[in-house]
Amino acid sequence: MNAVEVRNLSKSFEDVKAVDKISFVVKKGEMFGFLGPNGAGKTTTINMLTGLARPDQGSIRVHGKDYLKNLKTIKQSIGVVPDESNLYPELSGLENLCFCAALYGMKKAERTAKAWELLEQFGLKEAAFRKFGAYSKGMKRKLTIAAGIIHDPEILFLDEPTTGIDVASARQIRMLIARLHETGKTVFLTTHYIEEAERLCERIAFIVSGRIVRIDTMENLLQPMQEEHLAEIICTRGEKQAVDLLGKEFKDLVFNNTGRNAGRSFSRDKEAGEEHVRVKSGEPIPVGRLVRFLEENGIQVIEARLLRSSLEDVFVRITGIEAKELLKVTETKRHGKKKKAGGGT
Amino acid sequence: MSQWTAFFNILAKDVHAYYLKPPNISWGLLFPLAWTGMFFIKSGQGLEDVLGLLPGVVALSILFGTTSMLAVTVTFEKKNRSFERLLLSPISLELLMLAKTGGAIIFGLANAFVPVIMASFLTDLSSIAWGSFFMAVLLIAIASAFLGLFIAVAVSEVFEAQTFSNFFRFPMVFLCGLFFPIAKLPVFLRPLSYALPLTYGVDVLHGSVQSTNIMPMYLDLVVLAGFCILLFAGSLHNIKRKWIM
Ligand SMILES: Nc1ncnc2c1ncn2[C@@H]1O[C@H](COP(=O)(O)OP(=O)(O)O)[C@@H](O)[C@H]1O
Ligand SMILES: [Mg+2]
């Protein structure tokens, strides 16, 4: 049986088509990823799946049952972790968890035991009696996840669980999610981090402007990239372009200049006096020989490395959206939002 | 039933997080005390008129104690998104909103008895018909809480909720026969009086204290209950329409 079945789901806000006739299934016990840029319609989809928004059209079935007719039973069996923490700032971590458990009808002894168990599991035991409002962002997100699973739901909806928090907490959270999935829970995860989707999800839907442009297993998505070998060489700019020299010497390889750092490290932008060369081939690339050749021709190599084909390449190929753009858009949008809200936190 | 666990915990959480906070307790006590003191002293008619003023002061204490609280328990929680968590949980919207207003109703009841206790030191209260008095206090508290809820759901900012509730509350002080009989109001204002729930509650209070009611008390109570149902149904309708988009 499928955990979630969605058919032709649509939702508009005034003139914006937030979600446009999407259909997909989430299999039981699966980790399903919804990957797309900011404003793609990820949150709107989650809201419709969890009863916070009414679809304009389309049908939703959860565990084979019609969604609207069985709302109360279905609500009991799903857990939701929203993109922003929605717990009570004036209550302590422990109180928040116990309160959430009570919303699902758990008895007092059961609530307290489960709350402590989760605080322990999420590394928040020391902060149990501290007010939620005084938690760091990472702690807040962790407690929000704990609150979302305290009633032991069968399906867990996670809306951008690692957005806007520090790297260490994000790693911890990814590990916690992976562990939850191992215990057999169905997980529906939205994200705009390609790497996160690649690392965690078994199947992925690419969503852009309210539409699903591709939906497949990670294996199938990466399949066409398996035969392709990639490398990147960063060198000093000489009198002659490295890319031309290499092209003349190694005729069976394809060389390109890249405008940005290829691969998935966005840490380093191209600096003046540098040339970035991307190498493509159907065979393994002899990077050592390329480096030696360049240095013999008076071009100093700063960095040379093999690249693994990744989901990013697939994503860029299918959606035409560069991963770097994806992140950029998101960050500026978030800043804009914060300013508008008057820096409430 | 598991829904009742949720109900009582939502209610308890609000009482614990909002109503039992020192500013609220002191407000809840001081406000009725101040009104009572002011009216009892200013009336200049001596202590024998305590009974004449009691219904108005009780009604005022309830009205001001309950309506503004919903701006916090509903509008504020909607704004900081914790209300979403309640909407996600497997509890019916009706029961959820009863839980959210329950705290305000209890708070209103507690406020109502501050002037009663004060009056008991000043005069003899043995002539009051306590049965109908308590019914009126309860229904005024429910109607005021639901009026507060209606306002809290209609707006999106806490300050709007407060402004709006004053827009309703202050005219009600003058129009509902709290301190001057409705018969003394200009003719064109009288229909307005009968469109406000508090008028009927205050009439029962007057009837219970000094038998000075202008309508049959059972009719007052029925109309007041009707107001409660209308305000509650209207609030639920607005939540479904505006918040579950
Ligand atoms: N309540 C709303 N009112 C108006 N427009 C909205 C509302 N919620 C979302 N939208 C619009 O719908 C689109 C999808 O938004 P959302 O689902 O939040 O995207 P994502 O979660 O993928 O970033 C965006 O264009 C957004 O501006
Ligand atoms: Mg979103």
Side-chain angles (χ1 to χ4, degrees), chain B residues 19-39:
Chain B
Y19 296 98
L20 289 183
K21 287 279 155 9
N24 254 320
I25 294 184
S26 54
W27 166 260
L29 286 173
L30 273 180
F31 190 79
L33 278 175
W35 278 109
T36 315
M38 196 170 92
F39 277 104

Side-chain angles (χ1 to χ4, degrees), chain A residues 194-259:
Chain A
I194 294 174
E195 263 199 72
E196 180 167 287
E198 183 172 7
R199 200 170 315 160
L200 289 173
C201 301
E202 291 155 318
R203 275 195 324 130
I204 290 184
F206 291 162
I207 178 166
V208 179
S209 307
R211 294 197 187 162
I212 293 182
V213 292
R214 177 86 190 262
I215 182 165
D216 216 329
T217 59
M218 186 65 71
E219 227 168 71
N220 287 346
L221 286 171
L222 291 176
Q223 185 57 42
M225 311 308 259
Q226 301 293 301
E227 287 94 50
E228 196 176 70
H229 293 263
L230 293 173
E232 187 185 44
I233 297 171
I234 303 171
C235 50
T236 53
R237 199 176 284 280
E239 264 165 51
K240 285 190 180 167
Q241 289 232 319
V243 73
D244 294 335
L245 287 170
L246 287 165
K248 271 177 210 147
E249 179 73 14
F250 300 91
K251 295 222 157 44
D252 47 341
L253 304 177
V254 182
F255 298 94
N256 277 309
N257 273 127
T258 52

Side-chain angles (χ1 to χ4, degrees), chain A residues 268-302:
Chain A
R268 198 161 169 279
D269 273 311
K270 196 160 152 182
E271 281 168 31
E274 276 183 8
E275 185 179 347
H276 290 211
V277 182
R278 193 150 192 197
V279 193
K280 233 189 246 181
S281 168
E283 304 288 317
I285 296 168
V287 180
R289 268 174 55 207
L290 301 182
V291 172
R292 251 173 280 130
F293 170 78
L294 286 175
E295 302 214 310
E296 278 161 15
N297 283 277
I299 295 174
Q300 208 187 328
V301 175
I302 300 163

Side-chain angles (χ1 to χ4, degrees), chain A residues 42-43 83 159-160:
Chain A
K42 303 183 295 294
T43 301
D83 51 356
D159 197 0
E160 308 216 14

